[in-house]
Amino acid sequence: MEDIIRFVTDPQNLLTVFIAIAAFASVFTLLSGLAGGNDLEKRIKHVAERREELRRRSRAALAQNQNVSLRQTDEGFKKRIVDRLQLSKLLEDPMVNEKIMQAGFRGQSPVTTFYFFRFAMPFVLAVLALIYVIVAGQAEWPLIMKVAIVLFAFAIGFYAPNIYLSNRIQKRRDKIIEAFPDALDLLLICVESGMSIEAAIQKVSQEIGSQSIELAEELSLMSAELSYLPERRMAYEGLARRTNHPGIKSVATAMTQAETYGTPLSTALRTMAKENRELRLAAAEKKAAALPAQLTVPMIIFFLPVLFVVIMTPAIISIIDMM
């Protein structure tokens, strides 16, 4: 037991463990990037299963002449805890459903998981911090410092699910926007060749998958919604709501107006493709303009000391030899 405490309290051992975790995370990230094809196949398979479920339940509703809910049921340990403690009311967030949908999660189970972890994570991290303070904390630490560490861990646990969800939404939106102008060009080609909008969107979702798995999934879902929702406008608005980006919202609005007033869809797609390409170029220019300011601090910390050592070392050696 003393060896374990000595190992945990040694800063060098903690630094080694942190470096090992960072190295493992880097290798895992690189390997996960190489497995994009399998991820695409899984997402396309999930969309196909969802399409079949919509078709089956729609036919069952027509046959039985009654309303059938298309929502997936959620049963399990986390669901029982959320219902018994009424966490959906205690931790109510009116935007949680849209955020989870924008993050790429489907069904009711991710909502339950979010509320469960938002309730459990503060207590888990607070207990871990309390154990660390009691077992590995220094005896000379004041009580107020130990209490502050536990409270800080509790606050991190409370906001951690929201931070994770926001980061996932931002990364997913960036991947979608990166390939969206190319998808509009492909959609324009398909529409001008005589394909219907449903067939064109389905074709583009298959072709764009190698560039953006997330966009392929969204287009496949929109294609399924176009087939089974009563109005196409609802499918376009669903795509805009799931992505929550001004460029995609403008495209959805243009397609809705073209559908409502009978204007040529190809003209609207050509204009929207040009605007989204300009938005992507403007975002790239913004990042490039901000790069010098972001490199200032790393250059001061890492480059200037080495530069001073390289320049000053020969002079110092010469002075030492002369003396």
Side-chain angles (χ1 to χ4, degrees), residues 51-234:
R51 181 191 294 270
E52 291 298 326
E53 182 182 3
L54 287 171
R55 182 184 294 114
R56 177 176 55 81
R57 296 192 179 189
S58 178
R59 290 177 178 176
L62 291 175
Q64 298 177 6
N65 193 20
Q66 61 182 7
N67 295 328
V68 178
S69 175
L70 298 180
R71 289 185 176 271
Q72 298 177 353
T73 58
D74 181 23
E75 299 293 339
F77 171 73
K78 292 179 289 187
K79 178 64 174 177
R80 291 194 296 269
I81 292 180
V82 171
D83 290 340
R84 289 179 181 179
L85 298 179
Q86 296 183 352
L87 297 181
S88 58
K89 295 182 180 179
L90 181 63
L91 304 174
E92 185 178 3
D93 186 355
M95 300 296 294
V96 65
N97 290 322
E98 291 189 4
K99 289 181 179 179
I100 289 178
M101 183 171 55
Q102 292 168 12
F105 298 111
R106 311 298 175 196
Q108 189 64 24
S109 180
V111 179
T112 303
T113 303
F114 174 80
Y115 281 123
F116 175 80
F117 278 104
R118 193 175 183 185
F119 173 76
M121 285 296 292
F123 297 101
V124 172
L125 292 184
V127 169
L128 293 177
L130 182 62
I131 293 174
Y132 179 80
V133 167
I134 295 175
V135 176
Q138 300 296 329
E140 60 272 13
W141 286 1
L143 179 61
I144 187 65
M145 182 176 180
K146 297 179 180 180
V147 174
I149 292 175
V150 175
L151 293 178
F152 182 70
F154 186 89
I156 290 178
F158 182 79
Y159 290 105
N162 284 329
I163 295 174
Y164 168 77
L165 199 61
S166 299
N167 290 336
R168 184 179 175 92
I169 290 173
Q170 186 61 42
K171 291 180 180 179
R172 189 171 187 272
R173 186 184 296 124
D174 292 341
K175 292 180 181 179
I176 291 176
I177 296 304
E178 184 178 357
F180 190 66
D182 299 332
L184 286 180
D185 290 335
L186 292 175
L187 187 62
L188 175 62
I189 294 173
C190 293
V191 170
E192 289 184 340
S193 65
M195 297 177 64
S196 63
I197 186 63
E198 293 88 351
I201 291 175
Q202 184 64 28
K203 181 65 176 178
V204 172
S205 67
Q206 297 173 359
E207 297 295 333
I208 206 66
S210 59
Q211 185 175 354
S212 175
I213 300 175
E214 293 79 7
L215 182 57
E217 181 185 9
E218 291 296 337
L219 292 178
S220 298
L221 287 174
M222 186 174 70
S223 176
E225 291 175 350
L226 285 172
S227 301
Y228 295 103
L229 291 179
E231 296 181 9
R232 291 182 176 179
R233 173 184 57 83
M234 300 173 64

Side-chain angles (χ1 to χ4, degrees), residues 1-59:
M1 186 64 182
E2 294 179 358
D3 295 336
I4 296 176
I5 295 176
R6 191 180 301 108
F7 177 83
V8 175
T9 55
D10 189 356
Q12 185 175 1
N13 293 333
L14 294 178
L15 180 61
T16 304
V17 171
F18 176 76
I19 294 174
I21 294 175
F24 174 77
S26 301
V27 174
F28 179 78
T29 303
L30 293 175
L31 293 179
S32 61
L34 299 176
N38 296 330
D39 194 10
L40 173 61
E41 294 177 359
K42 292 180 181 179
R43 289 175 182 265
I44 296 301
K45 182 179 179 181
H46 173 74
V47 172
E49 292 175 355
R50 182 63 175 169
R51 181 191 294 270
E52 291 298 326
E53 182 182 3
L54 287 171
R55 182 184 294 114
R56 177 176 55 81
R57 296 192 179 189
S58 178
R59 290 177 178 176

